[in-house]
């Protein structure tokens, strides 16, 4: 049905019969024109570097070997250039084998961290978001005030919240340990252990991401027809059963989108890990995306290694998205 | 909520207490770090990071005075406002048109476009910065606000398009038909009929694009060279030199950076739920 | 003012489908005529209307409005107005703005717009609501706004796509006469799509019946009722529906349960097989004493008593296309449930159809 | 401020004399005033110094420069230290946006030079008759050419709280790690504070390695020496500090900030740190001013004391228009002249790289206090991969100091990592 608007839409009005092809073009011309600016920007700024990155991952390109010639310019003097003896070359799958066998970096550690990180964050985002949304979807006094206040973290830039939480978690000067001590508990050396450090990062990211989830789910809740609840009540269901059999399935369209996007975003959530734990202790909380950052920006830039990280991340996420889509499709959801 | 008759909606005092207790705890957690930064910003520099933790410690507005009058903060602020607003306007224009096309037309390449949007979210930004810099350099856009606006649009538009497409899906297509009969072409239909109806969705998109641009650091650091052209996110990094982060300036700056975001948020929040309702549903 | 509309072998084939949604539709709508397009859901009636509106591509064939070929014209260039099933009122515009929107787009002067809107509002009794948003109106009022929006345009053709289906039963009845009389007053050629055959029969000057994208019959309502062109039309038009059944023919008699019904000569001549589809409307059944010639016994299952009339639903010793036989009986002396009564078919009002083609067979 | 003012006037007088009789291009300013006027250019300079505490002094210096060269406009941009390195590389590779002159940290110079981003300065006036400290200048040399001139130098030293020392009955700064350990015990017993805070950053463990005669790599023989016995011994000393309680267990994250806060608050007696912190420590109201701050060379190990040299250099971007060469030379000459260096040293307490400047600031205790520490400063291996040394080293430091890992094993891992990730062309011994 949605074809309709474009039907009969010629560039120039006129009764002349045009060829079918021409009319197809006329019809889709609008659609393409409307998508074109976005495609153009994304193509230039994301797709092109992405393709380049994929190519680079099969080379040994770094900052120093990218030039064909090594030139040395002397101030007020001559420039002398010699061919670069170490010019980059294709290395096939070398980077991938290096990375996956742990020859360079700690791929499997990072992957494990990334999965734990993503799983924990998305799960907590979703569950807390769902819980708060269900509460806020009831009718009671002060609801809108709670709603406004609970969304505040969304308005805080990521690096600010990272700083704020790092502050709170500071083992010596942070409020959290100070409260623990006042309660008669031992202070925790948050960043000295892998999982406590990860915990601090997860808390920060959960704090940051719950409002979005909450609002999205709240929207989804309001689109569930009230009759469904009434029918379920007539069927003698308990509140929990209604939640389980009406709310959860009714939220599936919203959930499927936010979980898919949430997973992708969290997977690549760079600033929180970088600013809060900085990978401490001893790199044990690095995730794949911080690994790619370090390869790209720490010391001599290793473009090929960074690109390899990027391609592996991309591949993992594409596989995930495709599988996710397939599961959704089997349940009758499509996007 | 008008789901149930009023009488049945009343809770027992106990469950009412539990409800409010849960929400109060959640709200406290949501606000606490913000409040803590605010409190810190009122302390003198040496008291901000200290073994002795007080809520207040010689409260003063000195930090704010210094940020506002002794640094380029006002410049950065203005730059951020300009960049965020342009990102918002351009980002919304792009994602609204693209979202409309994806919602209404069944054109060849549509599925590819949806995948493309998803894939752009998957590639780490760190790897994109250097190539995008080169592109910007070729366009002569280095050290301009335009470079940031374009880059931020590429970050925010895929999600916004996705969301607006969902929102447009909820607007009955008969309205488009009616508009066609009333003499509007697709572009005019979009402008006169669909856009006015999509206001809640657009509000969310506006909020989202604004925030994307407002607090961004990585691109701003890379593309902006001169101090006067920095945006807030990048500018505040100046208070984190190699040693001795200047907590006084940083906390005060952080509070000031949150203010306009909250303001935008305050105006958008009415529409937030309604906008995401439709957008999220159809996602 | 009055303009004819012609569908000339108009076909709509959706991309990716092999079966046309509308298959070579040939239809002429007379100037000023109210043509009702009726059929079960999915029959292609809405598609036909949307093709006429220009909202749907015409795959082959053509459509003419007056002497203009509009097959590939944009909707706005066809000089038509449409009333949608859900009215498609612009939620962000007031009633008055909704009604005047098309004129505004067309660049009509403001004063002209307001007089025309005021005129239409007066006709439809909407004057009080002009400044309200559609959301603040009841279903019936919205429906009138949708009508008003069409009227204001003063188009050559009105298109209406099930405009009454969102109204409650009572309002539907009153509105349908309002629309019909309004159309007659304005004299504008109208194509009206509905799935409700009662609506089609009561409103249309002529009724076109569609099934699976193919036009079955176009005729005045009574013609359609009395002389259905095929089994489908016979079964579709009329409420309660016509009793239809396939029966064996022996020596020129159809064997209906224990009864033998004599078929006219013309009918038997046209038969190609040993069976015939017979149809008889509920009011063509005559209650007779047992043993009357051509009578068959019916066991009474349900009797619907409507006061002015009564319908009997019963089982027959032979299979019908519908599970039960329906007969109209005297409302004041209905047989008891479970009793057995006897009926005979009025031979004058017997319909016969071919078992192979479903086409009507001559009965005289 | 009050203290530096008289010094400054005296200094200016000395400077005038110096520049009047000094050789090179630095003739009397009035003599070739016209020459200076003829020099016309705009130079963009990215400064990476602390934008609030240090930048103003450099801006003042630019004003002084412009008094001499009115037509050379310096476009001063403050770029945060953490960003400058990547920003410069990205810009230089794209060929647009890079500044003409950059203040580069010592480890960056070989990186930039190897990528061809810098002008070699050999033969230019800046290097003629120079009096740069050898160790400082060594970081500018790559492949036999000199790619920059040192702006400031620094090193690590032992900083201590005099008041706490007095409370603990310690009269003199410890000179060996063993003495540090003993003093820490005293501090704990008598002053009730922790002895020394060891920062879990790899850079801050270098004195322990140097003290045993170790180093990270040998650039001549191209071998990885990070897991040498000397280094292992040195790191064991460091680990023992923590294990014995002489030093509290550092935090894995932001241990530098923790160290400084504790030191400023008088909660710890000693830290290993550099001259850049002197101003911050002295001005913190809880510390007790500069007078309370003791500065000594890093304690020695069994092979003597050694601390890594750090600092910053001026480098010239190879994409700069050749026409600006004279202006750039003039600017660098001015900025690294004894008088300018002395001015910065006086204002900010940063250590000059020009030997002559030390004569001008010999009355400044903040500078002289570091002179001894500077004498044991050791050049680091200046290779392009130098920037990658510290990732694995930081990891090692955290493992050893925070997590109490086995020193031998950890350093072996670090060496393996150097081989795979840092200097694949080098050999493991």
């Amino acid at each position: 049905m949605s074809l309709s608007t474009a039907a009969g839409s010629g560039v120039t009005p006129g009764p002349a019969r045009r060829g079918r092809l021409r009319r197809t073009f006329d019809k889709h011309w609008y659609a393409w024109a409307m998508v074109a600016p976005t495609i153009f920007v994304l193509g230039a700024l994301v797709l092109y570097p992405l393709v380049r990155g994929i190519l680079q991952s099969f080379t040994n390109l770094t900052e120093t070997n990218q030039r064909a010639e090594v030139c040395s310019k002397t101030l007020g003097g001559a420039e002398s250039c010699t061919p670069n003896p170490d010019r980059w070359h294709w290395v096939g799958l070398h980077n991938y084998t290096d990375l996956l066998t742990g020859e360079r970096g700690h791929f499997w550690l990072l992957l494990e961290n990334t999965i734990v990180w993503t799983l924990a964050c998305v799960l907590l985002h979703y569950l807390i978001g769902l819980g708060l949304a269900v509460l806020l979807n009831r009718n009671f006094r002060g609801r809108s005030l709670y709603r406004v206040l609970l969304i505040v973290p969304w308005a805080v830039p990521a690096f600010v919240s990272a700083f704020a939480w790092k502050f709170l978690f500071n083992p010596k000067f942070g409020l959290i340990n100070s409260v623990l001590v006042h309660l008669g508990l031992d202070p925790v050396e948050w960043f000295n252990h892998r999982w406590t450090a990860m915990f601090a990062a997860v808390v920060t990211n959960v704090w940051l991401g719950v409002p979005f989830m909450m609002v999205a789910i709240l929207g989804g809740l309001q689109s569930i027809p009230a009759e469904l609840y009434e029918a379920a009540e007539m069927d003698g269901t308990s509140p929990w059963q209604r939640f389980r059999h009406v709310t959860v399935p009714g939220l599936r369209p919203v959930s499927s989108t936010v979980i898919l996007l949430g997973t992708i975003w969290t997977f690549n959530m760079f600033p929180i890990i970088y600013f809060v734990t900085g990978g401490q202790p001893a790199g044990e909380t690095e995730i794949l995306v911080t690994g790619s950052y370090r390869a790209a920006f720490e010391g001599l830039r290793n473009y090929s290694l960074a690109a390899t990280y990027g391609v592996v991340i991309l591949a993992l996420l594409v596989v995930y998205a495709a599988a996710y889509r397939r599961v959704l499709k089997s349940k009758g959801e499509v996007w | 909520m008008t789901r149930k008759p009023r009488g049945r909606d009343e809770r027992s005092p106990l469950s009412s207490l539990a409800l409010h207790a849960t929400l109060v705890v959640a709200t406290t957690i949501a606000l606490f770090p913000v409040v803590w930064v605010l409190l810190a910003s009122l302390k003198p520099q040496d008291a901000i990071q200290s073994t002795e933790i007080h809520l207040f410690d010689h409260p003063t507005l000195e930090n704010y005075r210094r940020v506002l009058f002794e640094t380029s903060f006002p410049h950065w602020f203005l730059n951020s406002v300009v960049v965020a607003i342009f990102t918002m306007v351009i980002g919304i224009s792009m994602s609204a048109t693209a979202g409309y096309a994806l919602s209404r037309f069944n054109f060849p390449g549509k599925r590819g476009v949806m995948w493309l949007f998803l894939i752009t979210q998957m590639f780490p930004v760190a790897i994109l910065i250097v190539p995008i810099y080169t592109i910007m350099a070729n366009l002569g856009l280095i050290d301009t606000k335009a470079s940031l606006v374009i880059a931020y649009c590429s970050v925010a538009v895929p999600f916004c398009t996705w969301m607006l497409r969902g929102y447009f899906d909820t607007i009955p297509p008969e309205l488009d038909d009616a508009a066609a009969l009333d003499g509007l072409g697709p572009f005019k239909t979009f402008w006169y009929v669909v856009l006015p109806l999509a206001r809640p969705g657009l509000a969310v998109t506006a909020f989202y694009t604004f925030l994307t641009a407002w607090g961004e650091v990585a691109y701003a650091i890379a593309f902006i060279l001169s101090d006067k052209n920095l945006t807030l996110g990048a500018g505040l990094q100046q208070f984190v030199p190699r040693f001795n982060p200047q907590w006084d300036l940083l906390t005060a700056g952080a509070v000031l950076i949150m203010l306009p975001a909250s303001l935008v948020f305050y105006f958008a929040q009415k529409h937030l739920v309604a906008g995401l309702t439709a957008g999220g549903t159809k996602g | 003012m009055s303009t004819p509309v012609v569908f000339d072998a108009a076909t709509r084939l959706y991309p990716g489908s092999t079966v046309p949604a509308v298959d070579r539709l040939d239809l002429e709508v007379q100037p000023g005529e109210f043509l009702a397009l009726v059929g079960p859901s999915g029959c292609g009636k809405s598609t036909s209307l949307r093709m006429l509106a220009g909202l749907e591509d015409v795959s082959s064939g053509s459509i003419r409005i007056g002497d203009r070929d509009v097959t590939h014209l944009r909707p706005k260039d066809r000089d038509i107005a449409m009333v949608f099933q859900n009215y498609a009122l612009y939620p962000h515009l007031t009633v008055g703005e909704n009604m005047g929107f098309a004129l505004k787009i067309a660049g009509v002067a403001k004063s002209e717009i307001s007089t025309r809107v005021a005129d239409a509002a007066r006709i439809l009794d909407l004057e009080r609501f002009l400044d309200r948003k559609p959301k603040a109106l009841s279903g019936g009022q919205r429906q009138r706004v949708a009508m008003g929006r069409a009227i204001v345009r003063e188009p050559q053709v009105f298109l209406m796509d099930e405009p009454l289906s969102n109204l409650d039963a009572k309002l539907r009845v009153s509105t349908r006469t309002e629309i019909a009389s309004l159309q007659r007053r304005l004299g504008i050629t109208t194509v009206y799509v509905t799935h409700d055959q009662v609506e089609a029969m009561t409103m249309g000057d002529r009724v076109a019946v569609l099934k699976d994208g193919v036009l079955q019959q176009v005729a005045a309502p009574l013609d359609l009722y009395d002389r259905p062109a095929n089994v489908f039309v016979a079964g579709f038009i009329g409420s309660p529906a016509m009793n239809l059944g396939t029966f064996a023919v022996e020596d020129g008699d159809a064997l209906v349960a224990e009864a033998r019904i004599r078929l006219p000569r013309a009918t038997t001549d046209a038969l190609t097989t040993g069976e015939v589809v017979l149809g008889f409307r509920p009011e063509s059944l005559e209650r007779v004493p047992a043993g009357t010639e051509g009578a068959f016994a019916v066991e009474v299952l349900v009797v619907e008593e409507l006061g002015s009339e009564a319908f009997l639903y019963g089982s027959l010793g032979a299979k019908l296309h519908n599970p039960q036989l329906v007969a109209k009986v005297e409302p004041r002396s209905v047989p008891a449930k479970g009793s057995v009564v006897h009926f005979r078919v009025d031979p004058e009002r017997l319909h016969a159809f071919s078992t192979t083609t479903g086409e009507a067979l001559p009965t005289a | 401020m009050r203290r530096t003012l008289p010094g400054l006037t005296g200094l200016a007088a000395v400077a005038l004399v110096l520049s009047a009789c000094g050789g090179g291009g630095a003739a009397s300013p009035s003599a070739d005033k016209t020459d200076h006027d003829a020099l016309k250019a705009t130079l963009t300079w990215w400064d990476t110094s602390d934008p609030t505490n240090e930048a103003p002094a450099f801006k003042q210096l630019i004003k002084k420069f412009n008094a001499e060269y009115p037509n050379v406009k310096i476009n001063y941009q403050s770029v945060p230290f953490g960003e400058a390195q990547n920003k410069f590389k990205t810009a230089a590779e794209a060929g647009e946006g890079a500044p003409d002159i950059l203040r580069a940290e010592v480890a960056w110079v070989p990186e930039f030079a190897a990528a061809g981003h810098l002008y070699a300065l050999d033969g230019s006036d800046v290097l003629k008759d120079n009096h740069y400290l050898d160790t400082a200048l060594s970081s500018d040399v790559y492949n036999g050419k000199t790619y920059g001139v040192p702006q400031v130098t620094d090193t690590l030293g032992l900083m201590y709280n005099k008041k706490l020392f007095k409370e603990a009955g310690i009269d003199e700064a410890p000179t060996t790690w063993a003495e540090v350990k003993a003093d820490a015990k005293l501090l704990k017993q008598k002053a009730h504070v922790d002895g020394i805070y060891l920062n879990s950053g790899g850079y801050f463990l270098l004195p322990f390695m140097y003290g045993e005669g170790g180093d990270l790599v040998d650039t001549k023989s191209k071998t990885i020496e990070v897991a040498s016995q000397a280094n292992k011994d040195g790191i064991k000393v460091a680990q023992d500090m923590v294990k014995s309680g002489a030093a509290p267990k550092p935090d894995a994250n932001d241990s530098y900030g923790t160290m400084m806060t504790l030191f400023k608050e008088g909660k710890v007696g000693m830290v290993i740190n550099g001259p850049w912190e002197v101003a911050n420590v002295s001005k913190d109201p809880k510390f007790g001013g500069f007078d309370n701050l003791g500065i000594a060379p890093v304690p020695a190990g069994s092979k003597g004391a050694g601390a890594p040299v750090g600092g910053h250099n001026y480098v010239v971007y190879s994409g700069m228009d050749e026409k600006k060469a004279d202006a750039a030379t003039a600017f660098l000459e001015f900025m690294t002249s004894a008088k300018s260096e002395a001015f910065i040293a006086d204002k900010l307490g940063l250590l000059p790289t020009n030997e002559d400047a030390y004569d001008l600031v010999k009355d400044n205790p903040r500078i002289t206090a570091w002179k001894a520490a500077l004498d044991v400063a050791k050049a680091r291996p200046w290779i392009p991969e130098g920037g990658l040394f510290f990732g694995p080293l930081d990891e090692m430091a955290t493992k050893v100091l925070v997590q109490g890992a086995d020193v031998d094993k950890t350093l072996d891992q670090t060496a393996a990592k150097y081989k795979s990730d840092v200097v694949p062309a080098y050999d493991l011994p």
Side-chain angles (χ1 to χ4, degrees), chain D residues 58-376:
Chain D
F58 286 107
K59 284 186 190 158
Q60 273 178 288
L61 208 51
I62 290 174
K63 263 195 200 122
K64 288 170 187 268
F65 171 74
N66 277 336
E68 280 187 42
Y69 297 88
N71 295 322
V72 179
K73 188 179 176 313
I74 303 297
N75 175 14
Y76 177 92
Q77 299 296 345
S78 177
V79 179
F81 177 81
E83 300 162 10
Q85 185 185 13
N86 276 306
K87 221 166 163 166
F88 178 76
K89 283 194 211 170
T90 309
E93 275 165 31
E96 187 176 321
D100 301 311
I101 291 162
L102 171 75
R103 176 189 194 252
E105 207 251 358
V106 283
W108 302 352
V109 180
E111 255 178 41
F112 295 167
H117 294 331
L118 301 182
Y119 271 113
L121 302 178
D122 302 85
S124 123
D125 285 348
V126 210
L127 291 175
K128 241 180 244 162
D129 304 318
N130 75 77
H131 293 96
Y132 299 119
L133 299 175
D134 287 341
T135 347
L137 190 62
S138 70
S139 66
D140 290 308
V141 182
Y142 173 71
N143 266 355
K145 287 189 174 146
T146 307
Y147 286 91
V149 286
Q151 180 203 37
V152 297
T153 188
D154 62 50
T155 188
L156 292 177
L158 183 80
M159 293 162 80
Y160 58 93
N161 186 324
K162 287 181 182 166
K163 200 175 104 228
L164 292 177
F165 266 40
K166 198 172 279 169
E167 277 178 46
I170 308 166
D171 303 327
E172 269 183 27
T175 56
T176 66
W177 294 115
E179 285 177 34
V180 168
K181 203 172 154 185
D183 288 348
K185 209 167 264 171
L186 288 174
L187 280 166
K188 211 158 205 175
Q189 282 166 2
K190 297 192 182 155
H192 310 291
V193 294
D194 282 317
I196 182 166
Y197 190 101
L198 289 184
N199 173 8
S200 65
Y203 185 77
F204 294 85
L205 291 189
L206 287 178
F208 288 96
M209 300 185 180
Y210 291 168
E212 303 300 322
D215 204 343
L216 301 178
V217 296
D218 183 349
T219 52
K220 282 214 184 74
S221 63
K222 297 210 164 190
T223 45
I224 295 166
E225 301 198 321
V226 72
S228 66
Q229 195 52 49
N231 282 352
K232 285 177 179 169
D233 292 343
I235 297 300
K236 275 176 194 158
V237 171
Q239 192 183 43
D240 177 62
M241 291 279 178
V242 175
K243 286 201 167 161
S244 68
K249 185 156 87 172
D251 290 312
N253 202 5
D254 197 27
S255 66
Y256 183 91
T258 308
M259 165 174 85
M260 290 322 291
T261 306
L262 291 175
F263 186 65
K264 284 187 231 172
E265 289 187 349
K267 296 250 158 51
V268 64
M270 299 173 267
V271 296
I272 303 291
N273 212 333
W276 55 84
E277 280 293 354
V278 172
N280 290 307
V281 172
S282 340
K283 84 174 180 213
D284 192 289
K286 287 177 211 155
F287 185 77
F290 178 73
D291 296 334
N292 191 36
L293 178 66
I295 297 166
V298 286
S302 63
K303 296 275 171 10
V309 73
H312 299 270
N313 300 316
Y314 291 106
V315 294
V316 184
Y317 168 49
S318 63
M320 184 190 78
D321 192 342
E322 283 270 12
K323 284 179 210 148
K324 298 193 205 166
D326 288 340
T329 312
F331 181 63
L332 295 197
E333 267 190 284
F334 178 88
M335 296 301 276
T336 56
S337 67
K339 126 182 125 160
S340 302
E341 292 254 306
F343 171 79
I344 290 299
D346 250 335
K347 278 253 163 185
L348 306 175
L350 300 179
L351 306 188
T353 57
N354 192 325
E355 276 194 272
D356 301 339
Y358 284 92
D359 296 332
L360 302 182
V361 292
K362 52 176 175 273
D363 298 333
N364 186 334
R366 295 184 186 208
I367 303 300
T368 48
W370 285 97
K371 190 67 175 144
L374 214 50
D375 287 340
V376 301

Side-chain angles (χ1 to χ4, degrees), chain C residues 38 197-202 204-209 216-244 279-285 309 311 326-328 346 348-353 360 363:
Chain C
V38 71
Q197 53 95 18
V198 177
E199 229 170 86
M201 298 287 279
T202 51
D205 292 327
R206 283 193 303 150
V207 177
V209 183
Q216 306 289 315
Q217 189 176 5
V218 198
L222 263 186
D223 279 354
L224 216 54
Y225 191 80
D226 290 339
R227 282 180 288 282
N230 55 35
V231 177
F232 175 76
V233 175
F236 189 76
I237 300 292
S239 172
M242 180 188 282
N243 296 295
L244 287 162
F280 33 92
R281 296 208 178 268
E283 69 271 24
S284 318
L285 287 170
E309 50 189 7
F311 292 100
V326 189
K328 189 175 178 191
D346 179 354
E348 294 294 304
R349 294 158 82 178
L350 185 66
H351 300 270
F353 305 93
T363 48

Side-chain angles (χ1 to χ4, degrees), chain A residues 233-246:
Chain A
E233 219 175 328
M234 289 297 137
D235 289 341
T237 50
S238 67
W240 167 251
Q241 284 170 319
R242 282 201 288 281
F243 175 76
R244 174 76 191 71
H245 296 289
V246 179

Side-chain angles (χ1 to χ4, degrees), chain D residues 28-46:
Chain D
S28 145
S30 51
D32 52 8
K33 183 91 171 100
T34 45
D35 230 27
H36 289 181
D37 285 351
L39 218 45
K40 262 189 199 144
T42 301
L43 295 171
T44 302
W45 175 32
W46 281 6

Side-chain angles (χ1 to χ4, degrees), chain B residues 62-74:
Chain B
E62 168 67 11
N63 297 338
Y64 289 93
R65 191 193 64 74
R66 284 189 58 207
V67 166
L68 288 174
F69 299 107
E70 290 178 12
T71 70
S72 305
F73 191 89

